[in-house]
């Protein structure tokens, strides 16, 4: 039995639907008795029972426009081609085509806005280790990737703390147009002191950044969803190109932004790009529950993800949003090979390439906190940083009691679950994550393109054999993920 999906012209969801996973005994059956969580009678129990409603996983390749997306020291490994290729558009278009052919749903670009000086109060360690440096901007690259592919989703990071909302809204609308609606926006608020000194009026504390981001998104929603009517075009014999009554000011006047509008870009295929978010602090999770359609997160183990998923689902319920209108994408790092020994040897080669200090530099930069001042045996949980708290949360949610030194060594390859084994063994573990609430995965690659190629060559066929990965209909990214081109009614910018 195939699962129900809304048609391409549907903006609503049915009042009842039955989803069945046939085949493997690890798959389950869920029955949904109310699609919109906004119904006040929906209980916590029935909400949790609806955790998984899709029978296929999405796979997003984690990248950045630097020399390495996951392991900064990967430039030491000869098969890591991104170290030289990141400045070459041909490298990126070839990678995008490989990902599309290989079964990936999309490519996800992280980004930063400063040469960080957090570790030892100096930029020298950042430069010495190449910690996310040098790094180019992913937004201009997306148009080239759109031209080279047909279906691959294109997700890029942009900060609500460093861009003006009117300017970013136009940039993102342009890319959504040029990609035929395949754009996703990873919404971040930034954290580094130098990021704010370089591109903003001054440093903004953590929770206040999210308050500003909330208003920033409301401005963007108004520009994208309200400023232009669908039937704006006239182009008649009398010489009228567009209907003036179809284009409106938004007249936003808020605490942080004053934006009169109108939007300069006509409605794009998605209007609002698919909204990704990776906040793992309490305030970040609430922001994600209010706005995000796809939540990307770091976890050292499946147990850590279960705790996160439960928290997100509770917040979605409180926000009146359906679990089915959100995708949860934990990051995992697969070392997959035809036999376990080959996978294990590859993992060991990656570990051997890592300088222990690299992770502490990255941890300091991401958490906007100098970890050089602590003894390596100091308990990590005793230190309260100001930066990207999701980076810390992955360790706090883990069962182990991490020291600063241990966390630094582990953070050099990001705090993700490392899945080492054969295609069958890795797929078994992904199924268990799916049962825990994962709708897909962000694949972090220690070596590019090798890791992505191994996933495509070995893991994707195994997932397809289990009916856990399939090609889906739809042109836009939102249609591929949700079956409908527009935001659902339970989203703050959704339409009936």
């Amino acid at each position: 039995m195939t699962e129900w999906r809304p048609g391409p012209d549907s903006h609503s969801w049915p009042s009842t639907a039955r989803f069945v996973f046939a085949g493997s005994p690890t798959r389950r059956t869920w029955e949904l008795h109310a699609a919109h969580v906004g119904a006040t009678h929906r209980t916590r129990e029935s909400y949790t029972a609806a955790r998984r409603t899709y029978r296929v996983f999405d796979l997003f390749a984690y990248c950045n426009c630097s020399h390495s997306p996951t392991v900064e020291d990967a430039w030491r490994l000869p098969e890591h081609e991104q170290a030289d290729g990141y400045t070459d558009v041909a490298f990126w278009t070839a990678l995008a085509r490989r990902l599309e052919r290989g079964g990936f749903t999309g490519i996800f670009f992280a980004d930063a806005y400063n040469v960080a000086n957090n570790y030892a109060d100096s930029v020298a360690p950042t430069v010495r280790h190449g910690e996310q440096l040098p790094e180019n901007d992913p937004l201009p690259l997306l148009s080239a990737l759109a031209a080279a592919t047909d279906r691959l989703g294109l997700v890029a990071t942009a900060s609500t703390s460093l861009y003006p909302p009117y300017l970013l809204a136009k940039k993102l609308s342009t890319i959504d147009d040029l990609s035929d609606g395949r754009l996703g926006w990873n919404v971040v608020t930034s954290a580094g002191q130098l990021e704010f000194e370089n591109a903003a009026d001054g440093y903004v504390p953590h929770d206040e950044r999210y308050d500003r981001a909330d208003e920033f998104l409301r401005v963007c929603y108004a520009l994208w969803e309200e400023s232009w009517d669908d039937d704006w075009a006239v182009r008649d014999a009398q010489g009228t190109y567009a209907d003036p009554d179809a284009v409106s000011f938004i007249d936003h006047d808020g605490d942080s932004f004053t934006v009169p509008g109108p939007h300069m870009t006509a409605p794009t295929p998605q209007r609002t790009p698919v909204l990704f978010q990776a906040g793992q602090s309490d305030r970040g999770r609430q922001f994600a529950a209010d706005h995000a359609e796809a939540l990307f997160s770091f976890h050292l183990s499946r147990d850590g993800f279960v705790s996160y998923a439960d928290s997100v689902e509770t917040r979605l319920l409180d926000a009146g949003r359906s679990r089915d209108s959100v995708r949860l994408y934990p990051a995992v790092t697969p070392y997959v090979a035809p036999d376990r020994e080959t996978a294990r040897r590859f993992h060991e080669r990656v570990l051997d390439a890592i300088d222990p200090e690299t992770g502490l530099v990255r941890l300091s930069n991401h958490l906007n906190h100098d970890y050089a001042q602590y003894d390596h045996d100091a308990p990590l949980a005793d230190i309260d940083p100001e930066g990207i708290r999701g980076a810390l949360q992955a360790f706090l949610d883990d069962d182990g009691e991490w020291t600063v030194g241990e966390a630094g060594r582990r953070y050099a390859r990001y705090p993700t679950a490392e899945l080492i084994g054969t295609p069958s063994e890795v797929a078994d573990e992904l199924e268990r994550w799916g049962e825990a609430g994962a709708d897909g995965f962000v694949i972090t690659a220690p070596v590019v393109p090798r890791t992505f190629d191994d996933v495509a060559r070995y893991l994707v066929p195994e997932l397809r054999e289990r009916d856990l990965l399939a090609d889906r209909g739809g042109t836009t990214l939102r249609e591929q993920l949700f079956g409908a081109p527009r935001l659902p009614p339970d989203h703050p910018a959704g339409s009936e």
Side-chain angles (χ1 to χ4, degrees):
M1 178 178 179
T2 59
E3 83 266 22
W4 175 89
R5 283 184 168 282
D9 296 322
S10 173
H11 297 169
S12 60
W13 305 84
S15 59
T16 60
R18 180 179 173 86
F19 299 84
V20 178
F21 288 128
S24 167
T26 61
R27 297 176 191 143
R28 303 174 181 175
T29 298
W30 292 266
E31 295 196 20
L32 308 185
H33 300 292
H36 290 297
V37 184
T40 56
H41 67 275
R42 184 75 177 269
T43 65
R44 168 69 180 157
E45 289 75 17
S46 67
Y47 192 73
T48 304
R51 172 176 288 173
R52 281 277 294 147
T53 61
Y54 273 58
R55 61 175 296 177
V56 294
F57 290 139
D58 302 308
L59 300 179
F60 285 86
Y62 183 86
C63 293
N64 64 4
C65 288
S66 185
H67 59 85
S68 177
T70 302
V71 175
E72 302 289 9
D73 296 317
W75 57 267
R76 298 176 174 182
L77 300 172
E79 65 267 49
H80 180 63
E81 298 177 14
Q82 187 172 325
D84 295 319
Y86 80 94
T87 61
D88 186 354
V89 71
F91 167 82
W92 289 113
T93 54
L95 178 62
R97 285 191 289 264
R98 289 162 90 156
L99 293 171
E100 186 170 67
R101 290 195 304 268
F104 282 78
T105 309
I107 185 169
F108 177 107
F109 285 96
D111 197 15
Y113 301 88
N114 69 325
V115 181
N117 64 342
N118 301 94
Y119 188 78
D121 195 28
S122 171
V123 299
T126 296
V127 176
R128 183 168 56 250
H129 291 280
E131 202 287 294
Q132 211 163 342
L133 182 79
E135 184 173 49
N136 294 335
D137 191 325
L139 287 179
L141 177 62
L142 296 190
S143 294
L145 303 188
T149 57
D150 297 316
R151 293 177 49 79
L152 190 71
L154 308 170
V155 185
T157 298
S159 175
T160 59
S161 296
L162 307 180
Y163 273 103
Y166 190 82
L167 174 62
L168 185 59
K170 183 182 180 182
K171 287 182 178 295
L172 296 181
S173 289
T174 301
I175 299 170
D176 197 54
D177 252 342
L178 296 178
S179 66
D180 295 324
R182 289 185 281 142
L183 177 65
W185 172 25
N186 179 40
V187 183
V188 300
T189 63
S190 296
Q193 180 73 35
L194 280 179
E195 290 184 295
F196 287 88
E197 291 182 19
N198 282 326
D201 293 333
Y203 189 76
V204 179
H206 179 274
D207 287 4
E208 185 180 338
R209 294 199 298 268
Y210 278 106
D211 293 339
R212 286 168 56 90
D214 185 85
E215 184 183 343
F216 190 110
L217 283 180
R218 292 201 304 273
V219 173
C220 289
Y221 294 154
L223 292 168
W224 289 328
E225 299 288 343
E226 300 171 14
S227 189
W228 287 66
D229 295 343
D230 287 331
D231 56 354
W232 62 271
V234 179
R235 302 173 189 169
D236 62 16
Q238 288 71 43
T240 299
Y241 178 77
D243 180 2
D245 293 333
V247 180
S248 306
F249 286 89
I250 66 167
D251 292 324
H252 178 89
D253 186 9
D255 293 336
S256 299
F257 306 105
T258 299
V259 181
H263 194 30
M264 285 197 70
T265 307
T268 67
Q270 297 185 122
R271 284 189 176 252
T272 298
V274 176
L275 299 168
F276 283 67
Q277 220 277 322
Q280 286 182 247
S281 66
D282 285 343
R283 184 65 181 88
R285 293 184 189 192
Q286 186 57 54
F287 179 83
D290 289 339
H291 296 283
E293 299 174 87
L295 279 67
F296 158 46
S297 54
F298 285 118
H299 311 279
L300 288 161
S301 68
R302 183 160 32 94
D303 288 343
F305 171 69
V306 169
S307 173
Y308 169 79
D310 286 344
S311 170
V312 168
E313 288 172 356
T314 298
R315 293 173 189 273
L316 286 170
L317 177 63
D318 293 341
R321 297 185 64 197
S322 167
R323 172 63 177 86
D324 288 336
S325 65
V326 173
R327 300 286 169 265
L328 300 186
Y329 297 140
V332 296
T333 306
Y335 293 83
V336 59
D339 61 89
R340 188 184 303 173
E341 181 59 22
T342 300
R344 186 195 64 77
R345 287 199 305 268
F346 180 32
H347 180 248
E348 289 297 324
R349 286 188 63 234
V350 170
L351 296 189
D352 289 343
I354 294 175
D355 184 325
E357 189 180 51
T358 303
L360 282 175
V361 175
R362 173 187 273 176
L363 191 68
S364 296
N365 292 345
H366 285 187
L367 290 174
N368 196 33
H369 192 83
D370 182 10
Y371 281 90
Q373 64 185 300
Y374 302 106
D375 186 273
H376 284 196
D377 293 329
L380 185 71
D382 291 349
I383 303 167
D384 185 23
E386 171 65 22
I388 305 173
R389 295 186 184 176
L392 177 64
Q393 198 64 43
F395 293 102
L396 300 183
D397 288 343
D398 190 59
D399 290 337
E401 295 181 1
W402 291 83
T403 66
V404 168
E406 291 168 341
R409 287 189 292 274
R410 187 63 180 82
Y411 203 68
R413 57 193 196 272
Y414 279 133
T416 66
E418 295 180 314
L419 310 183
I420 306 167
T422 65
S424 177
E425 290 169 336
V426 174
D428 285 346
E429 182 61 16
L430 292 185
E431 281 209 65
R432 288 188 279 270
W433 282 70
E435 291 168 3
D439 299 295
F441 303 92
V442 173
I443 303 297
T444 57
V447 177
V448 180
R450 174 175 172 172
T451 302
F452 296 139
D453 286 347
D454 287 348
V455 168
R457 182 180 298 117
Y458 304 123
L459 182 57
V460 164
E462 179 71 23
L463 294 175
R464 282 184 169 147
E465 179 67 23
R466 303 180 186 207
D467 293 327
L468 290 173
L469 195 73
D471 295 327
R472 302 194 213 155
T475 300
T476 70
L477 179 56
R478 186 172 285 111
E479 286 173 322
Q480 291 186 56
L481 301 185
F482 300 100
R486 300 286 297 278
L487 289 164
D490 63 0
H491 190 276
S495 58
E496 295 294 339

